[in-house]
Amino acid sequence: MNTQTTERPEFNTFHNGDKANLPFAGSEYDARLAGLRRLMAKAGVDAAVLTSMHNVAYYSGFLYCSFGRPYACVVTADKAVTISAGIDAGQPWRRSACDNLVYTDWKRDNYWRAVCSVTGKGRVIGFEGDHLNLQGFEKLNGFLAPARTVDIAAATMKQRMAKSPAEIALIREGARIADHGGFAVRDAIRAGTREIDVAMAGRDAMELEIARSFPDSELRDSWVWFQSGLNTDGAHNPVTSRALRHGDILSLNTFPMISGYYTALERTLFLRDVDAASLKIWQANVGAHELGLSLIRPGATCSGITHAINDFFAERDLLQYRSFGYGHSFGVLSHYYGREAGLELREDIDTVLEPGMVVSMEPMLTLPEGMPGAGGYREHDILIVTEDGAENITAFPYGPEHNVIG
């Protein structure tokens, strides 16, 4: 039997089809890369090897699907290249504002050979210390032989925290579509209906609206968490098949995803009846929400806003039922990637709010089962910090006057 061996490439280009219409114009990505290169120059970095989904998407437009494989966006003073796995073929090139290299899996570590072909050896390499794991860091050092490594994760996060006008326009649309999904959820609520059926109504409504409003986008990752009764105790509890009952506390959470950009609507509701103890807790959480909305403005600090809302809850003997911080930044993030941790409304974050930042206000109280008013209460609005205050871009109404259903 004759056998033939073929020399297969370690990596190559695959420019299949035409470049896609990305969520932003080329000038937007150019401006982001220019900002990255400025921070690289300040840190003395020759090449940045960005590995997280959020940074790869932010600087290139390409949102990868890892499935256990590594990806990157490698940026030097004069080049920007996404590195993708062969299984994705030409899609990463079409969805990258920059060039793209495809690594093959015929030989282990072709990914790092492709990265090295852009960075070169012996250079000062910037990396994301909050994303690259220990094995990846060892490979980086072995294949790139850097003169020095610099963690640039915090610097890139700071750049992402300041939104451009184009980003704000997309986030506005995301907030509108979150409201759209919220109304579909509210319309589907009735006794006997399962959580999953209500959630699917909201998700389908949002995906159809994204397809209508953003016909060039990839349709992926939008979701709804609709929780009832005991399931409301955690903000991120998954949907179940529990059937709704009269008197249930409900939590509506819609999350449209547009080209990697997350937005959210979250509301407390009750099905038909709300008892006096629950009403008191709900009204207290609404009061905290309204206080928080009034505090978001340029010059305010994340920790200062947090302490003020803490005092509000403490005066009502409710602070012990708060379960997480009061808000966070918006942009390229999702429930499985990304977080601008420097812009969260928590006691240990002293970031000063500036015009162009986008944050949520989302107080939540959780009272354990067996207590009067048991359940999880949460309201969530999205605000754009302006020159003289903040603009609330969430329109879905909140509170007992609007959200006792049936």
Side-chain angles (χ1 to χ4, degrees):
M1 179 178 176
N2 293 327
T3 60
Q4 263 188 328
T5 59
T6 302
E7 187 67 28
R8 295 188 170 99
E10 296 171 336
F11 54 89
N12 58 279
T13 59
F14 188 21
H15 295 178
N16 193 37
D18 298 324
K19 286 282 192 180
N21 292 323
L22 297 182
F24 303 105
S27 57
E28 173 78 8
Y29 295 105
D30 289 343
R32 295 177 185 186
L33 288 170
L36 174 61
R37 287 177 173 128
R38 285 192 294 271
L39 70 86
M40 288 167 58
K42 184 177 180 180
V45 168
D46 298 314
V49 180
L50 304 171
T51 53
S52 69
M53 293 185 77
H54 43 280
N55 265 341
V56 172
Y58 182 77
Y59 291 107
S60 76
F62 168 51
L63 186 66
Y64 66 74
C65 174
S66 174
F67 237 125
R69 296 177 173 90
Y71 289 73
C73 180
V74 182
V75 180
T76 67
D78 58 358
K79 286 188 254 182
V81 183
T82 52
I83 310 294
S84 61
I87 194 169
D88 296 320
Q91 184 262 1
W93 177 77
R94 293 193 297 273
R95 289 281 168 182
S96 295
C98 53
D99 206 352
N100 169 260
L101 282 177
V102 177
Y103 69 92
T104 67
D105 61 2
W106 306 118
K107 183 164 60 176
R108 188 176 298 278
D109 294 322
N110 280 345
Y111 166 81
W112 285 107
R113 295 181 181 93
V115 170
C116 187
S117 74
V118 183
T119 64
K121 290 191 174 184
R123 313 303 299 278
V124 178
I125 301 296
F127 71 101
E128 294 178 77
D130 62 354
H131 183 267
L132 189 66
N133 61 29
L134 289 173
Q135 184 183 73
F137 191 66
E138 289 177 1
K139 299 278 189 182
L140 182 153
N141 281 285
F143 280 87
L144 308 189
R148 182 165 57 95
T149 57
V150 179
D151 184 358
I152 60 171
T156 59
M157 176 189 68
K158 186 175 181 180
Q159 182 182 355
R160 297 196 317 273
M161 279 162 41
K163 310 305 175 193
S164 69
E167 284 183 285
I168 289 174
L170 188 147
I171 292 169
R172 282 183 189 278
E173 276 292 277
R176 178 186 67 80
I177 293 170
D179 287 339
H180 181 76
F183 287 114
V185 165
R186 192 169 71 177
D187 289 345
I189 294 170
R190 57 185 56 86
T193 303
R194 299 175 304 171
E195 289 180 1
I196 182 62
D197 299 312
V198 177
M200 287 192 297
R203 183 204 62 205
D204 290 351
M206 291 192 301
E207 290 192 330
L208 288 170
E209 183 61 18
I210 293 170
R212 187 191 70 81
S213 302
F214 296 88
D216 294 321
S217 70
E218 296 175 314
L219 297 169
R220 55 190 291 189
D221 303 328
S222 293
W223 82 104
V224 170
W225 283 324
F226 179 74
Q227 302 138 349
S228 64
L230 180 62
N231 297 340
T232 64
D233 67 345
H236 299 163
N237 293 352
V239 173
T240 74
S241 295
R242 181 184 182 275
L244 309 187
R245 307 167 190 165
H246 289 152
D248 272 347
I249 183 172
L250 309 172
S251 189
L252 176 162
N253 310 271
T254 61
F255 307 102
M257 292 291 293
I258 306 170
S259 300
Y261 276 71
Y262 158 108
T263 48
L265 167 71
E266 301 171 12
R267 289 289 184 259
T268 300
L269 309 94
F270 274 78
L271 182 51
R272 185 175 293 181
D273 303 310
V274 52
D275 62 88
S278 298
L279 182 61
K280 183 178 179 180
I281 302 301
W282 192 3
Q283 288 171 331
N285 202 59
V286 165
H289 183 62
E290 292 176 340
L291 172 62
L293 293 175
S294 74
L295 296 173
I296 295 176
R297 60 182 183 273
T301 63
C302 295
S303 56
I305 293 170
T306 301
H307 288 305
I309 303 173
N310 280 350
D311 289 344
F312 178 91
F313 279 141
E315 290 168 2
R316 291 154 180 80
D317 195 27
L318 293 171
L319 183 57
Q320 64 270 34
Y321 302 117
R322 172 198 147 192
S323 55
F324 58 90
Y326 295 120
H328 58 79
S329 181
F330 279 81
V332 184
L333 72 152
S334 174
H335 60 308
Y336 59 89
Y337 65 85
R339 193 77 171 180
E340 293 169 12
L343 194 51
E344 295 191 14
L345 302 182
R346 297 181 358 179
E347 292 88 343
D348 57 346
I349 304 293
D350 296 320
T351 302
V352 178
L353 299 188
E354 300 175 4
M357 291 179 171
V358 183
V359 295
S360 62
M361 173 49 56
E362 50 176 310
M364 180 172 181
L365 296 173
T366 298
L367 276 69
E369 195 76 355
M371 283 190 65
Y377 302 77
R378 185 168 71 262
E379 314 295 344
H380 178 298
D381 287 13
I382 302 173
L383 295 97
I384 300 167
V385 181
T386 63
E387 294 292 335
D388 56 1
E391 179 189 358
N392 190 334
I393 59 173
T394 297
F396 193 101
Y398 60 81
E401 297 81 8
H402 302 285
N403 290 327
V404 179
I405 307 302

